[in-house]
Amino acid sequence: MSTAKACVLVEPNRIETWDVPIFDPPAGGALVRIVAGGVCGSDVHIMTGEAGIMPFPIILGHEGVGLVEKLGPGVETDYAGVPVKTGDLVYWAPIALCHRCHSCTVLEETPCENSQFFEHAEKPNWASYADYAVLPNGLAFFRVPDGTSTDAVIALGCALPTVLRGFDRCGQVRVGDTVVVQGAGPVGLSAILVAKLAGAREIIAVDMHENRLAMARTMGATATVSLKDSPDERRRQIYDRVSSHGPDVVVEAAGVLPAFPEGVDLTGNHGRYIILGLWGAIGTQPISPRDLSTKNLTVAGASFPKPKHYHGALQLAARLDGEYPLAELVTHRFGIAGALEALEATAKGAVIKAIIDPQIT
Ligand SMILES: [Zn+2]
Ligand SMILES: [Zn+2]
């Protein structure tokens, strides 16, 4: 059996490059050669152990675009019925669905109870910091429309699907709404983009890094606020802009726990606060529960987007690339052996989006 390279998280904070077997695709699945693996903020939390214990050793990476190397028996289309063949570019949702569990069939929700986010590094593996991925039966993949840039798709990785799921679960942005987005990484930028498309009147991005705030303005933010200002000053700038009623919608895309009490405080009366970035940040924060009552707030979270959100994100990326500089969100590229560097750069926030490109050695 031939082997290929993969970036393995052996235990928290211990990353190694392994030679792992290349498996044949199972019936209903596909073997893909990875073109780009997205480095997600969640990967940083997984690496450090902040996201909890994983079934180590695991191959990192849950965002991928790759070329179909071999289709499993019986596969003729992607998961939206589009014909697919060897050599086609595909993008996938990282969790297979069994369609035989309470979540899948009764709730029609993700994640599936019989599936897993990671697989042991030496088993057939759908992780994307690797030369190859085996997509199992039930793991939805979609053919990338011809002419779409790989960077535009991977730039929004799991971020745009997460945002689409968040608004699905917590209510869409309405025409004329005022929106504040905490954090202008890929999740925040995706939220800005969707708010802009939905017709928000004001979209205010808050972040520490000027390069991210500049990109936020390009993606549709009407104003930006620096995290370097004090919380009181940030609040004053936001309320000056949207009026004393406060924002209708606040989106947490910061990935750090202190964003939560600040978001509760910022959200206007009768507003909605949507938590998207705290999947990997285990911990608690003090808030005044009375604020939820007196302001009539709706606070809700979302994670693990459904296949339809990945499909929707892919179609949006294909449609909007060029109109918005989606491909330019990819600011840093690393080989498989450079994964630790990629994660460290992502943790610092210096990058907008880093990717693992297996062609880089
Ligand atoms: Zn992700
Ligand atoms: Zn299931």
Side-chain angles (χ1 to χ4, degrees):
M1 184 181 273
S2 49
T3 62
K5 301 282 181 220
C7 165
V8 176
L9 184 64
V10 180
E11 60 183 33
N13 294 308
R14 190 173 143 211
I15 281 179
E16 296 176 357
T17 303
W18 286 14
D19 288 310
V20 295
I22 303 172
F23 293 92
D24 261 349
L31 172 69
V32 300
R33 186 156 57 80
I34 306 279
V35 175
V39 178
C40 178
S42 295
D43 295 340
V44 175
H45 294 297
I46 290 165
M47 178 189 66
T48 58
E50 287 165 280
I53 294 300
M54 303 290 157
F56 299 117
I58 58 170
I59 302 176
L60 284 172
H62 55 269
E63 304 174 350
V65 173
L67 294 163
V68 174
E69 183 87 4
K70 193 173 179 185
L71 292 167
V75 180
E76 292 175 355
T77 69
D78 71 4
Y79 277 67
V82 175
V84 70
K85 60 183 187 314
T86 302
D88 282 348
L89 200 60
V90 295
Y91 163 74
W92 55 92
I95 298 188
L97 304 183
C98 77
H99 300 295
R100 296 194 72 159
C101 76
H102 192 260
S103 293
C104 280
T105 59
V106 179
L107 301 177
E108 295 184 317
E109 282 295 351
T110 46
C112 165
E113 292 153 47
N114 291 326
S115 195
Q116 58 198 72
F117 201 25
F118 291 106
E119 178 56 282
H120 189 283
E122 287 176 315
K123 292 190 180 161
N125 215 293
W126 53 93
S128 63
Y129 290 15
D131 283 324
Y132 290 92
V134 174
L135 311 183
N137 185 29
L139 187 138
F141 66 84
F142 301 104
R143 187 178 185 279
V144 175
D146 290 335
T148 309
S149 113
T150 301
D151 280 359
V153 178
I154 202 65
L156 301 173
C158 77
L160 182 54
T162 298
V163 165
L164 295 178
R165 172 157 169 91
F167 288 136
D168 242 13
R169 278 186 59 80
C170 309
Q172 304 296 330
V173 173
R174 291 174 291 244
V175 172
D177 272 353
T178 54
V179 179
V180 170
V181 178
Q182 298 175 292
V187 176
L189 293 170
S190 297
I192 290 165
L193 181 64
V194 173
K196 162 95 173 162
L197 295 172
R201 171 163 56 91
E202 291 284 357
I203 306 168
I204 303 175
V206 184
D207 199 282
M208 176 74 82
H209 303 280
E210 186 45 46
N211 60 334
R212 291 183 171 217
L213 292 175
M215 189 56 83
R217 289 188 287 271
T218 307
M219 300 292 278
T222 55
T224 54
V225 170
S226 173
L227 202 60
K228 290 175 184 161
D229 292 335
S230 70
D232 284 349
E233 174 59 18
R234 298 199 287 264
R235 191 178 202 282
R236 187 193 63 73
Q237 290 176 46
I238 289 168
Y239 273 63
D240 277 358
R241 182 92 193 184
V242 304
S243 91
S244 58
H245 298 290
D248 299 305
V249 178
V250 177
V251 177
E252 182 285 312
V256 294
L257 287 168
F260 180 65
E262 183 170 354
V264 170
D265 176 61
L266 284 175
T267 309
N269 291 341
H270 316 287
R272 288 176 281 144
Y273 184 32
I274 301 174
I275 315 299
L276 299 178
L278 295 177
W279 178 86
I282 297 172
T284 58
Q285 285 288 310
I287 61 160
S288 160
R290 183 170 177 273
D291 283 357
L292 307 185
S293 271
T294 56
K295 294 208 290 184
N296 210 20
L297 294 195
T298 301
V299 179
S303 63
F304 295 117
K306 298 180 181 184
K308 70 174 182 179
H309 300 120
Y310 281 86
H311 179 263
L314 174 62
Q315 302 308 322
L316 266 185
R319 161 76 180 75
L320 296 175
D321 184 28
E323 192 175 330
Y324 293 86
L326 302 184
E328 289 168 34
L329 300 181
V330 176
T331 52
H332 292 65
R333 295 163 202 278
F334 302 85
I336 292 170
L340 182 59
E341 222 183 314
L343 290 160
E344 285 171 350
T346 300
K348 280 193 210 124
V351 313
I352 293 179
K353 182 73 178 183
I355 63 166
I356 302 297
D357 176 350
Q359 301 271 55
I360 299 172
T361 51

